[in-house]
Amino acid sequence: MVSYVWPIALVVLSNTVYQICAKEVPAGMNAFASLTVTYLVGALASGVLFFVTGNGAGILQEYGRLNWAPFVMGLVVVGLEAGWIYAYKAGWPVSTAFIVQSAILAGFLLTVGYMLYHEPLAWNKIAGVVICLVGLYVMNYR
């Protein structure tokens, strides 16, 4: 059970701190300049964690297993990071921006899961997305 829960707890904790950091990037700073520091720190942390958690394999051996995904992920992460920074600079409140994107993302990922990975499209999943969208309406209704 712990091996099932801790990754989600890590994501929740990391995402909470991440949203705070994205909101606190100085308004006048170029988002991409900020991201160069973010990725340098991330690369160093990843390198240290590779050696701390590694199974004895060399990093070059691991690089030999690469496919397209880490390269595309690198580009996509830049889009995610810049998108959040610019959303907060545009005035999105931290209390709603994440909920809005999460509700929309849930619908997209439901479709992706069904089409690419043949995950079942159950009524409760569809109902969950509809409830999220209704929640968005309620949150933004003035």
Side-chain angles (χ1 to χ4, degrees):
M1 180 67 167
V2 171
S3 64
Y4 193 72
V5 173
W6 84 262
I8 296 301
L10 178 61
V11 168
V12 169
L13 175 64
S14 297
N15 221 323
T16 301
V17 175
Y18 168 85
Q19 296 299 328
I20 293 166
C21 292
K23 180 95 172 148
E24 294 297 323
V25 170
M29 182 177 196
N30 183 296
F32 298 104
S34 171
L35 291 177
T36 61
V37 174
T38 299
Y39 293 125
L40 285 171
V41 171
L44 288 172
S46 295
V48 168
L49 289 170
F50 170 80
F51 290 109
V52 169
T53 63
N55 59 359
I59 197 160
L60 294 178
Q61 180 183 1
E62 291 298 317
Y63 287 161
R65 299 177 187 179
L66 286 171
N67 67 1
W68 61 270
F71 298 98
V72 173
M73 193 174 189
L75 296 173
V76 170
V77 168
V78 171
L80 281 170
E81 310 278 357
W84 279 116
I85 292 169
Y86 284 117
Y88 290 135
K89 286 183 179 202
W92 274 89
V94 78
S95 60
T96 56
F98 190 79
I99 296 170
V100 168
Q101 76 84 34
S102 292
I104 296 167
L105 181 63
F108 285 163
L109 290 181
L110 189 68
T111 304
V112 167
Y114 177 74
M115 294 179 75
L116 292 183
Y117 301 105
H118 309 291
E119 296 173 356
L121 191 59
W123 69 269
N124 60 334
K125 290 180 182 179
I126 295 169
V129 171
V130 170
I131 290 168
C132 287
L133 295 175
V134 169
L136 286 180
Y137 175 78
V138 170
M139 277 181 41
N140 293 301
Y141 182 72
R142 296 176 197 239

